């Protein structure tokens, strides 16, 4: 994989003509050159010649790959040990905020994920080619050596670069050594979906050490299992398990996109019962597709792109409802069921079918019905189930056991591929065990692979092991505060570029209301996850808190979890539910598990750092007595959370 379309020393530019440089770029482009791309390259090549004259000893990389985002930055300049990341806006007279965030994001990507950039000074620069001349911008450095993005006109660019190099005394950075540095990106699920949808391979966007190896092995195994089912005219099902944040959804999206590209006749589809995830991914794919088409000068509309995205990512309940209207097999031969553990048991499914769909006498669990729908195919088909252990958060969610019992009792002719680590009580025919189907490494948080272990110990009440694990999380800040304003201030200071921050709370955290946290007020997931920070509906506005139902399967960079008295600590964790005017303790083990899992989901949403807000309570309010919250706070501190001091 070429890291850049063009790599050239300043001294070499003089001996090449513009047509030659353009040809080097064009031969690497995987699609036809659009007029807008041609105009942009023509301008950038002419400007490159000017830069080469004024920056002797510089090395230039044009169209440099940013794997996590699946995109290429216009120009990277290495000059006197400093990395300059340049994004051109050809024809622009203004420095718009979205473009500044974009180039800042490129700088963050190099700082976090490119091995030979970790300890280097990096300067993101936005060049608006028609902007009016301005004074030389002042450089503001972040603590890690990344500067805030600069707004620069074309003629001022070499002046700014030479000025920074004069002010910063740093060791030379050989271009060959720098460009060969390993890249280990960990994309958000939105970024991954956009890149895969555009046609990027999973190894281009996920190189997070063992996590990437797991994803590759899993993808290869599933592809071979599908091909074998086709050759032998059999029906097969694969179960992919993994720790929170290990990339199960990414694995499913990768399978769906690769099958669509190479085997369009299979009509592979990604199905999820997670409504917010479906909404956010569809909207993100549509918005990105429109932007890409606009850049290439191609006609497109959001309505058209949303329709395309909706065919690729579907709500599993819509798939189910369509199957109720016919006894014919679906057009899809390969289906990926996300969060299969959340499929409903027989009681919940039958109740829903009778009350909402008028299907009286319906007596099947959701796994059994979905299997029966795919079993209508007369030759072959394949089901891929993505299973998150310990993430059942809704009443009536059956877990993986219901799938296995259904296969055992009704679909013994199906070939079943299971991870060898899966513990279950069923006797499944045609069972094939393999380690390739378990993703053991979290890739959500590139700062803390053991975050899920820490959360697991904490929710078990094991403060000793929690504290030991916390000591290994050197680059993942875990803070706690009794002041929500301090938590908001911390989030705003941490968030950079296109990173996202947000408030989280349990869906029954009803007594956070006095602090302005209204969990009964529904958020708009697409706005909360995708809107710009100046939109009050955005997560970055830090106004609306999302619950476990809103964020499961999605993620933030920085988060504040607002902890209410529905999960209290007194020797061990105890679950409570607020109804009417009072709290009532939950004694049912299943409902207790649902609440624990809700907090597990919330505690593992942040990729880069987490702060927990625990209220002081109010001695005059029986629903918010200080003792309820003090014991929570004290236990979390003993687990290793640091007190936030601002």
């Amino acid at each position: 994989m070429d890291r850049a379309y063009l790599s050239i020393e300043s001294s070499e530019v003089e001996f090449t003509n513009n047509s030659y440089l353009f040809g080097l770029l064009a031969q690497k482009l995987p699609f036809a050159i659009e007029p807008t791309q041609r105009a942009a390259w023509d301008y950038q090549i002419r400007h490159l010649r000017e830069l080469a004259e004024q920056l002797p000893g510089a090395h230039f990389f044009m169209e440099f790959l940013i794997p996590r985002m699946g995109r290429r930055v216009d120009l990277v300049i290495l000059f006197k040990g400093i990395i300059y990341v340049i994004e051109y806006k050809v024809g622009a007279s203004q420095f718009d905020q979205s473009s500044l965030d974009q180039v800042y994001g490129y700088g963050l990507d190099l700082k976090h994920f490119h091995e030979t950039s970790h300890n280097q000074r990096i300067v993101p620069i936005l060049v608006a080619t028609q902007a009016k001349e301005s004074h030389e911008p002042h450089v503001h450095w972040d603590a890690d050596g990344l500067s805030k993005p600069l707004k620069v006109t074309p003629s001022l660019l070499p002046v700014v670069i030479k000025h920074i190099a004069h002010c910063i005394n740093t060791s030379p950075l050989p271009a060959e050594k720098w460009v060969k540095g390993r890249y280990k990106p960990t994309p958000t699920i939105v970024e991954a979906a956009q890149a895969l949808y555009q046609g990027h391979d999973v190894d281009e966007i996920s190189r997070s050490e063992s996590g990437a190896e797991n994803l590759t092995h899993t993808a290869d195994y599933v592809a071979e299992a599908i091909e074998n089912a086709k050759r032998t005219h059999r029906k097969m099902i694969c179960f992919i398990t993994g720790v929170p944040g290990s990339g199960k959804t990414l694995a499913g999206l990768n399978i769906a996109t690769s099958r669509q590209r190479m085997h369009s006749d299979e009509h592979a589809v990604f199905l999820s019962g997670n409504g917010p995830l479906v909404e956010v991914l569809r909207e993100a794919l549509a918005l990105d597709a429109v932007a890409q088409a606009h850049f290439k000068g191609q006609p497109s509309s959001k309505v058209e792109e949303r329709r395309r995205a909706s065919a690729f990512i579907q709500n599993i309940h819509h798939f189910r409802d369509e199957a109720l209207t016919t006894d014919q097999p679906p057009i899809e031969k390969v289906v990926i069921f996300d969060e299969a553990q959340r499929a409903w048991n027989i009681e919940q499914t039958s109740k829903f079918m009778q009350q909402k769909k008028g299907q009286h006498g319906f007596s099947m669990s959701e796994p059994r019905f979905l299997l029966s729908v795919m079993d209508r195919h007369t030759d072959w088909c394949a089901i891929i189930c993505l299973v998150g252990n310990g993430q059942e958060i809704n009443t009536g969610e059956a877990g993986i056991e219901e799938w296995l019992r259904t296969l055992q009792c009704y679909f013994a002719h199906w070939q079943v591929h299971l991870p060898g680590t899966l513990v279950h009580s069923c006797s499944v025919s045609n069972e094939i065990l393999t380690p390739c189907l378990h993703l053991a490494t979290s890739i959500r948080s590139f700062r803390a692979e053991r975050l899920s272990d820490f959360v697991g110990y904490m929710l078990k009440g094991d403060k000793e092991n929690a504290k030991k694990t916390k000591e290994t999380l050197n680059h993942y800040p875990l803070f706690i505060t009794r002041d929500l304003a301090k938590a908001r201030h911390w989030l705003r200071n941490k968030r950079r570029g296109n990173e996202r921050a947000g408030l989280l709370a349990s869906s029954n955290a009803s007594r956070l209301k006095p602090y302005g946290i209204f969990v009964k007020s529904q958020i708009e997931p697409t706005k909360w996850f995708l809107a710009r920070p100046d939109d009050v509906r955005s997560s970055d506005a830090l106004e609306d808190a999302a619950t476990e139902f809103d964020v499961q399967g999605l993620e933030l960079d920085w988060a504040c979890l607002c902890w209410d008295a529905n999960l209290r600590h007194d020797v061990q964790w105890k679950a409570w539910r607020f109804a009417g005017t009072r709290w009532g303790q939950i004694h049912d083990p299943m409902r207790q598990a649902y609440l624990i899992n809700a907090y597990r989901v919330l505690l593992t949403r942040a990729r880069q750092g987490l702060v927990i807000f625990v209220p002081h309570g109010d001695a005059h309010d029986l629903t918010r007595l200080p003792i309820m919250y003090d014991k929570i706070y004290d236990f979390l501190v003993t687990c290793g959370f640091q007190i936030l001091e601002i």
Side-chain angles (χ1 to χ4, degrees):
M1 181 177 59
D2 290 324
R3 190 62 57 79
Y5 285 4
L6 173 63
S7 172
I8 191 168
E9 294 278 352
S10 58
S11 58
E12 298 172 335
V13 175
E14 178 185 354
F15 302 103
T16 61
N17 59 46
N18 291 0
S19 297
Y20 174 75
L21 294 175
F22 189 95
L24 291 177
L25 293 169
Q27 70 181 9
K28 298 289 182 62
L29 196 66
F31 45 79
I33 303 176
E34 304 294 340
T36 51
Q37 182 65 77
R38 179 179 295 276
W41 279 350
D42 282 339
Y43 181 91
Q44 290 165 31
I45 289 170
R46 292 196 303 272
H47 196 228
L48 176 69
R49 198 166 294 284
E50 297 175 20
L51 293 171
E53 290 177 3
Q54 299 187 54
L55 300 174
H59 194 103
F60 304 98
F61 298 93
M62 286 187 69
E63 297 294 330
F64 186 87
L65 179 66
I66 302 293
R68 185 172 69 102
M69 301 179 182
R71 299 184 180 178
R72 291 182 180 271
V73 63
D74 292 334
L75 179 66
V76 172
I77 303 174
L78 300 189
F79 185 66
K80 296 191 176 181
I82 301 173
I83 304 164
Y84 300 87
V85 183
I86 318 297
E87 182 67 14
Y88 287 92
K89 293 303 174 184
V90 178
S93 59
Q94 302 292 329
F95 298 94
D96 63 283
Q97 189 60 47
S98 63
S99 297
L100 287 166
D101 287 343
Q102 179 185 357
V103 73
Y104 203 6
Y106 291 158
L108 284 164
D109 192 272
L110 289 173
K111 175 61 68 173
H112 290 323
F113 308 122
H114 188 215
E115 189 175 50
T116 47
S117 298
H118 289 333
N119 301 316
Q120 303 299 323
R121 296 271 186 168
I122 302 175
V123 184
I125 301 176
L126 177 63
V127 177
T129 62
Q130 299 301 315
K132 294 180 179 179
E133 289 293 338
S134 59
H135 296 293
E136 185 178 298
H138 183 68
V139 183
H140 298 275
W141 296 100
D142 294 332
D144 57 3
L146 173 67
S147 83
K148 296 290 191 293
L150 304 182
K151 307 172 186 177
V152 175
T153 56
S155 60
L156 197 59
L157 182 58
V159 177
V160 169
I161 290 175
K162 286 188 286 188
H163 174 73
I164 295 172
H166 176 74
C167 295
I168 302 295
N169 184 21
T170 186
S171 301
L173 182 59
E176 184 177 353
K177 178 183 177 182
W178 176 77
V179 79
K180 288 183 178 178
R182 291 180 300 174
Y183 221 119
K184 305 172 187 175
T186 53
T188 67
I189 194 59
V190 170
E191 291 167 339
Q194 289 172 332
L196 292 170
Y197 196 59
Q198 291 173 26
H200 292 269
D201 293 327
V202 72
D203 62 343
E204 290 185 39
I205 60 171
S206 183
R207 296 181 180 276
S208 180
E209 299 175 348
S210 57
E213 291 180 23
N214 284 351
L215 284 169
T216 302
H217 293 328
T218 300
D220 292 344
Y221 182 90
V222 172
E224 178 55 35
I226 293 174
E227 291 302 317
N228 183 61
K230 291 174 71 172
R231 285 193 304 268
T232 59
H233 302 284
R234 298 190 66 172
K235 295 164 185 175
M236 79 87 179
I237 184 169
C238 281
F239 291 89
I240 299 176
T241 61
V243 300
S246 58
K248 297 180 292 295
T249 302
L250 174 57
L253 288 168
N254 181 45
I255 293 164
T257 51
S258 63
R259 300 311 294 186
Q260 278 199 346
R261 285 200 305 271
M262 296 183 288
H263 307 275
S264 59
D265 58 316
E266 295 174 359
H267 300 282
V269 65
F270 183 89
L271 300 174
S272 177
N274 183 338
L277 176 71
V278 171
E279 289 180 41
V280 170
L281 290 184
R282 281 178 173 177
E283 183 74 2
L285 295 183
L287 290 171
D288 190 59
V290 169
Q292 294 295 317
H294 177 73
F295 174 76
K296 297 173 185 177
Q298 298 172 345
S300 182
S301 73
K302 191 173 177 183
V303 172
E304 176 188 346
E305 295 299 347
R306 190 180 279 132
R307 188 181 301 116
R308 285 185 58 224
S310 296
F312 169 56
I313 298 177
Q314 297 181 27
N315 191 303
I316 196 170
H317 303 309
H318 298 165
F319 179 85
R320 176 201 63 201
D321 294 347
E322 175 67 23
L324 286 169
T325 66
T326 178
D327 58 1
Q328 295 297 308
I331 191 174
E332 296 86 2
K333 300 297 288 285
V334 176
V335 296
I336 295 93
F337 291 141
D338 189 34
E339 295 180 7
Q341 82 282 353
R342 298 185 67 184
W344 291 342
N345 57 28
I346 186 170
E347 293 81 12
Q348 186 73 11
T349 309
S350 300
K351 179 181 177 182
F352 176 83
M353 289 297 190
Q354 291 173 28
Q355 292 181 351
K356 303 293 186 181
K357 301 296 178 182
Q359 296 283 328
H360 298 289
F362 191 95
S363 59
M364 284 191 281
S365 66
E366 196 166 28
R368 181 180 170 186
F369 179 66
L370 294 171
L371 277 161
S372 72
V373 170
M374 293 302 291
D375 199 51
R376 295 172 187 173
H377 286 289
T378 56
D379 51 354
W380 75 277
C381 65
I383 294 176
I384 316 300
C385 286
L386 311 177
V387 181
N389 298 330
Q391 294 185 53
E392 299 86 359
I393 58 175
N394 260 322
T395 301
E397 292 181 356
I400 195 172
E401 291 272 347
E402 180 61 30
W403 286 92
L404 299 179
R405 280 193 296 269
T406 298
L407 288 161
Q408 177 184 344
C409 297
Y410 303 103
F411 300 96
H413 57 290
W414 280 58
Q415 190 175 72
V416 183
H417 298 260
L418 291 167
T421 55
L422 184 66
V423 178
H424 63 89
S425 59
C426 301
S427 177
V428 182
S429 303
N430 297 318
E431 180 182 75
I432 300 174
L433 300 178
T434 174
C436 295
L437 294 177
H438 180 68
L439 302 172
T441 303
S442 175
I443 61 172
R444 172 177 296 125
S445 174
F446 56 89
R447 293 183 182 274
E449 289 186 353
R450 295 201 64 198
L451 177 64
S452 62
D453 295 336
F454 169 76
V455 170
Y457 288 129
M458 193 181 77
L459 292 177
K460 288 178 182 176
D462 186 347
K463 62 184 179 184
E464 286 78 15
N465 277 316
K467 190 165 186 177
K468 287 179 183 176
T469 307
K470 164 62 176 66
E471 291 170 358
T472 70
L473 305 178
N474 298 320
H475 302 292
Y476 188 94
L478 287 164
F479 284 106
I480 191 167
T481 182
R482 313 301 292 267
D483 187 336
L484 185 55
K486 283 186 177 181
R488 285 192 171 107
H489 179 76
W490 184 78
L491 291 176
R492 290 190 176 110
N493 281 346
K494 285 294 183 183
R495 182 194 159 275
R496 298 186 286 182
N498 285 317
E499 293 176 347
R500 294 204 75 89
L503 303 177
L504 306 174
S506 161
S507 58
N508 193 241
S510 301
R511 297 312 296 139
L512 293 175
K513 192 174 180 180
Y515 306 95
I517 303 298
F518 301 92
V519 294
K520 301 306 179 186
S521 177
Q522 292 292 309
I523 68 166
E524 296 179 67
T526 56
K527 301 299 182 186
W528 201 81
F529 279 102
L530 302 175
R532 292 191 49 74
D534 55 4
D535 187 326
V536 295
R537 298 166 297 180
S538 164
S539 68
D540 292 321
L542 304 181
E543 291 191 11
D544 296 323
T547 72
E548 66 273 20
F549 301 116
D550 300 316
V551 300
Q552 189 174 39
L554 293 158
E555 61 236 319
L556 298 166
D557 288 286
W558 307 91
C560 169
L561 171 54
C562 305
W563 201 299
D564 201 6
N566 59 335
L567 187 62
R568 307 177 196 173
H569 194 271
D570 186 5
V571 182
Q572 61 183 3
W573 290 110
K574 293 181 180 178
W576 295 74
R577 181 176 182 274
F578 189 82
T581 61
R582 66 183 64 185
W583 292 101
Q585 190 168 355
I586 298 173
H587 298 287
D588 176 42
M590 185 64 74
R591 291 177 62 200
Q592 291 174 354
Y594 287 147
L595 182 59
I596 289 287
N597 287 340
Y599 272 87
R600 189 190 316 279
V601 167
L602 296 168
L603 285 160
T604 55
R605 289 310 93 188
R607 290 156 48 87
Q608 298 199 53
L610 174 71
V611 58
I612 291 181
F613 163 60
V614 181
H616 282 293
D618 185 344
H620 302 290
D621 184 345
L622 295 179
T623 68
R624 296 188 295 124
L625 293 174
I627 193 171
M628 298 176 181
Y629 297 98
D630 291 345
K631 290 186 177 182
I632 297 170
Y633 178 85
D634 291 342
F635 180 75
L636 294 178
V637 170
T638 62
C639 286
F641 281 89
Q642 293 179 268
I643 298 172
L644 183 64
E645 302 287 354
I646 294 180

